[in-house]
Amino acid sequence: MQLVTDLEQWRQLRSELNVSVGFVPTMGALHEGHLSLVRRSVAENEQTVLSIFVNATQFNNSADLESYPSSIDQDLQHAQSAGVDFVLMPNYSQMYPDDFRFQMHEEIFSRDLCGNDRPGHFSGVLTVVLKLLNLVQPEKAYFGLKDYQQYLLIKDMCAGLFLPTQIIGCETLRENDGLAMSSRNRRLDPIARSLAGRFNEILYQSGTDAEAAAALQGLGCSVAYIKTQYGRRFGAIEIALQGDSVRLIDNLVPKNLQANLSAVDLPAPGVS
Ligand code: PAF
């Protein structure tokens, strides 16, 4: 496995790679969910590139950026054992020589759900993903479906801009109690962790979005949104920690929509 921090060096290396390339973009703090994407890429491509870049432009809150977990040494070990060929780890000035003067915006779906309470978040995500796809030029890129809205926006961006990469959504990996795996879970203390384990069950069992929101508020969580659309229930909550909080998101097909999946699991609006 080769670690590349210099993008000029990477572009030279990429121009010499005449094989199929799979790509897993991350912000580090790797967990089993990320590694499942890597394993799928390794199985489906000749070479796999993993990027680790904590993308400041997608954080609308500086405290959230500062507290984002980081574990580079461990990440590199995990990446190597999972079969990654190249780790791309540029810094901000390498990724943003334009200092974010050029941005990618989506005007409709990016304003809903997470985009509603995190203004600008998806412009940061789409801009950095577009840059990374241009740099890596992968045949396939892998994204976890925990970030379902992100996945749909990236898939639609690629279709809308005629990018050649196939965007592949991979099932959410969950802990034993059903909590969706996330880098942010590391920040949960034991009390917050046991609360977080109720999130997916409440999203699944509740008859309505209002009931789910009330149940979560009853546990002391602050609810950013709970919304059922396109046959899935989407939710974002904040769980308080000492003097701080952790934001968690999840989405699933709730119990009362499971029976008739084919009728309700409509795709989100989009070009792809
Ligand atoms: O899902 C993430 O970790 C990030 O949003 C991504 C896709 C790596 C872009 O920074």
Side-chain angles (χ1 to χ4, degrees), residues 126-238:
L126 293 176
T127 303
V128 82
V129 170
L130 183 55
K131 284 170 180 272
L132 288 165
L133 292 177
N134 282 335
L135 285 164
V136 177
Q137 298 171 35
E139 245 107 278
K140 296 178 180 171
Y142 300 82
F143 294 85
L145 292 181
K146 177 177 74 66
D147 299 295
Y148 202 88
Q149 186 179 12
Q150 166 175 283
Y151 156 74
L152 288 176
L153 284 164
I154 291 169
K155 199 167 151 60
D156 277 356
M157 173 178 77
C158 288
L161 300 185
F162 310 109
L163 299 186
T165 301
Q166 187 186 344
I167 300 300
I168 299 180
C170 303
E171 276 313 316
T172 303
L173 255 64
R174 295 181 181 276
E175 305 288 354
N176 286 341
D177 60 359
L179 175 64
M181 288 188 187
S182 162
S183 303
R184 291 173 198 269
N185 294 353
R186 294 188 189 188
R187 298 195 49 235
L188 298 167
D189 61 28
I191 296 175
R193 173 64 188 81
S194 73
L195 267 183
R198 307 283 309 279
F199 183 26
N200 69 99
E201 176 207 328
I202 289 171
L203 283 182
Y204 178 71
Q205 295 284 356
S206 302
T208 64
D209 297 344
E211 278 169 33
L216 288 159
Q217 279 154 352
L219 290 175
C221 304
S222 142
V223 175
Y225 63 81
I226 303 288
K227 197 166 172 186
T228 300
Q229 58 187 17
Y230 321 122
R232 303 185 82 81
R233 178 169 285 146
F234 296 83
I237 56 172
E238 298 259 351

Side-chain angles (χ1 to χ4, degrees), residues 25-28 34 51 53-55 58 68 121 124-125 128-129 132 143 147 150 154:
T26 80
M27 298 204 295
H34 293 119
S51 63
F53 178 67
V54 181
N55 179 37
Q58 71 188 71
Y68 199 82
H121 167 65
V125 170
V128 82
V129 170
L132 288 165
F143 294 85
D147 299 295
Q150 166 175 283
I154 291 169

